[in-house]
Amino acid sequence: MEYDMRQIQRPFRMAKLNLVWTKAQQRLTEPKLISLYTELKIQDKEEIAWKQLSGQNKDKEGLKEAELRKKLIGIMSTYGLLEHFDETQDPEKYKDYKAFHGPVDNYKNKSLFKDKKLNRLWEKAEVAGFSPDELQALKEEFMHHQEKVDLYYELLDDVTKNQGKRDQHVNAVNEDEIEKFNEIGTAEDLADSRAQKHDEYYHAANDLREKHRAVRDSFDRLERITAKGPNSQDFVEPKVQGLWKVAVNSDFSPDELASLKVELLHLESRLLKLRHMNAEHAISLEKYKQSSKHLDKHEKISMMEDNIKKQSRKVEKLHEDLEKRIFKHSEL
């Protein structure tokens, strides 16, 4: 699905969170907006729940309110929005940001490259601290890599098609049915033809392997270049960046740290998937509100919400386990 998070207007029920969202839309990149959206979505639900508790006088000491305030400060600090925190505490400042669900259109895909893996690496390169000239030169190398990927898939498609045709010949021809192919020539001619096709396929398959190796080597090279950026980070997801920072400053052995990095990359992958699921859900929800096909849309959205809940539980469990292990070492 194509989407542009900057087109989503006031998606939260809490006005102060819509204020934060509006400020973020002006400053953050698309990947960061997707991450922030998920964080604020959770905050929104908790703030609404707190309002109900407060209305029933169940938070007399203000503990839950203080917890939510601290959490919001943490979120805004993570995304470089802390300077706007005071505005979120002043109803006069955020009164114009009440929840609004207007039409959302112009869903543009901001992806620069067709290859998803390459796009994720480019997101890291953009924030790695390269100068404009260095980034432009690196962009050209990324585009050259995309061309290699395109050529690889073209060759793969050709080999697959030829393999299908070759298999069709092999499967169709046997000793009992050889007379059906008299127009091709003698049995010996047919055997020679099949041998030639096999050789062609063999050479094409070898060429394909070489191309695949070249693509892999090219990507590894781009990864190494990106990692040399002044501000390069091993992770793009703020939550994972925080855990990794604690881990490298703890007493893990090099082998333990390497193993932990793999696990954190797995967590980041799941987190990013969850972020995108939430973004797609937000866009679908906006479209649903503008559509007359309520039943179909509702079923689709319900299914998306169920999938988000399942993914959220997996991510939370994985995050908790890693967090406990990392902080246990940091306290030793």
Side-chain angles (χ1 to χ4, degrees):
M1 177 184 289
E2 297 181 352
Y3 48 81
D4 180 357
M5 299 304 287
R6 287 179 178 78
Q7 296 295 325
I8 298 180
Q9 303 175 52
R10 289 175 268 181
F12 308 108
R13 293 172 66 185
M14 297 298 293
K16 64 181 178 182
L17 298 186
N18 284 322
L19 181 147
V20 174
W21 178 247
T22 302
K23 301 293 183 183
Q25 286 175 312
Q26 298 165 8
R27 297 177 56 172
L28 301 184
T29 61
E30 191 80 3
K32 287 275 180 71
L33 280 175
I34 292 173
S35 295
L36 177 63
Y37 177 85
T38 307
E39 302 283 356
L40 292 181
K41 198 72 177 174
I42 295 170
Q43 184 79 13
D44 196 42
K45 289 180 181 178
E46 293 183 353
E47 294 266 5
I48 294 296
W50 170 77
K51 282 189 74 173
Q52 293 174 346
L53 283 175
S54 181
Q56 299 168 7
N57 291 320
K58 292 184 178 179
D59 189 33
K60 293 179 181 179
E61 296 180 5
L63 296 178
K64 185 63 178 178
E65 182 182 13
E67 180 189 326
L68 289 172
R69 177 187 170 91
K70 183 179 179 182
K71 188 175 179 182
L72 182 58
I73 289 174
I75 292 171
M76 295 182 72
S77 176
T78 297
Y79 292 91
L81 301 166
L82 200 53
E83 65 191 80
H84 300 294
F85 179 75
D86 288 343
E87 295 177 58
T88 68
Q89 305 304 300
D90 184 353
E92 281 300 310
K93 295 280 181 68
Y94 62 70
K95 66 180 181 181
D96 295 328
Y97 293 90
K98 291 180 181 178
F100 166 77
H101 298 291
V104 176
D105 50 17
N106 299 324
Y107 308 107
K108 297 176 182 176
N109 189 349
K110 296 283 183 171
S111 298
L112 187 60
F113 306 101
K114 288 185 284 185
D115 186 73
K116 291 181 180 179
K117 193 176 177 183
L118 193 60
N119 267 314
R120 287 195 293 270
L121 184 60
W122 179 248
E123 288 171 6
K124 292 184 180 182
E126 284 186 305
V127 295
F130 292 107
S131 69
D133 288 343
E134 288 172 332
L135 198 60
Q136 180 58 37
L138 187 56
K139 181 179 177 181
E140 290 175 8
E141 296 213 38
F142 270 65
M143 294 178 77
H144 182 55
H145 176 82
Q146 180 65 65
E147 290 173 3
K148 288 183 180 180
V149 173
D150 292 342
L151 286 172
Y152 168 75
Y153 279 111
E154 283 178 18
L155 181 60
L156 178 63
D157 189 48
D158 289 341
V159 171
T160 303
K161 286 178 181 177
N162 290 335
Q163 169 69 349
K165 290 177 182 177
R166 187 177 71 84
D167 283 345
Q168 191 175 19
H169 278 295
V170 172
N171 291 334
V173 179
N174 57 52
E175 295 301 322
D176 296 330
E177 297 179 337
I178 200 69
E179 64 273 8
K180 295 181 182 179
F181 295 88
N182 284 335
E183 69 275 15
I184 298 176
T186 65
E188 289 182 2
D189 292 336
L190 185 59
D192 289 341
S193 174
R194 289 165 61 189
Q196 183 181 353
K197 286 182 180 295
H198 180 272
D199 288 342
E200 289 174 359
Y201 173 77
Y202 178 77
H203 290 306
N206 278 341
D207 191 21
L208 185 65
R209 275 191 288 271
E210 289 296 325
K211 287 283 192 297
H212 182 265
R213 191 177 294 114
V215 166
R216 189 179 58 194
D217 291 346
S218 173
F219 185 82
D220 286 347
R221 178 175 170 276
L222 290 176
E223 270 192 321
R224 287 194 297 273
I225 293 173
T226 301
K228 291 178 181 177
N231 303 326
S232 179
Q233 295 175 321
D234 293 280
F235 304 96
V236 295
E237 176 58 46
K239 272 191 173 182
V240 185
Q241 286 174 356
L243 288 177
W244 179 243
K245 187 176 181 180
V246 174
V248 295
N249 290 309
S250 301
D251 63 345
F252 288 103
S253 69
D255 287 344
E256 287 174 329
L257 209 54
S259 176
L260 192 59
K261 186 176 182 180
V262 172
E263 293 185 69
L264 286 171
L265 285 168
H266 178 61
L267 170 62
E268 181 174 70
S269 177
R270 283 186 174 274
L271 263 171
L272 291 173
K273 180 181 178 182
L274 179 60
R275 306 302 194 202
H276 285 280
M277 287 170 71
N278 272 293
E280 289 180 2
H281 173 261
I283 295 297
S284 295
L285 203 58
E286 292 290 348
K287 285 184 175 180
Y288 164 65
K289 287 168 184 170
Q290 307 302 316
S291 172
S292 58
K293 298 178 182 178
H294 293 299
L295 182 60
D296 292 343
K297 290 287 181 181
H298 180 69
E299 289 176 354
K300 179 184 176 183
I301 288 171
S302 295
M303 188 179 298
M304 291 176 80
E305 289 171 350
D306 287 341
N307 289 334
I308 287 172
K309 286 178 183 177
K310 290 176 185 175
Q311 182 72 1
S312 295
R313 284 194 291 269
K314 291 177 183 177
V315 168
E316 286 170 13
K317 179 69 168 61
L318 192 56
H319 183 269
E320 284 176 10
D321 290 345
L322 286 168
E323 190 176 49
K324 285 178 183 176
R325 283 167 51 197
I326 290 171
F327 279 93
K328 184 178 179 181
H329 266 264
S330 69
E331 293 167 359
L332 294 176

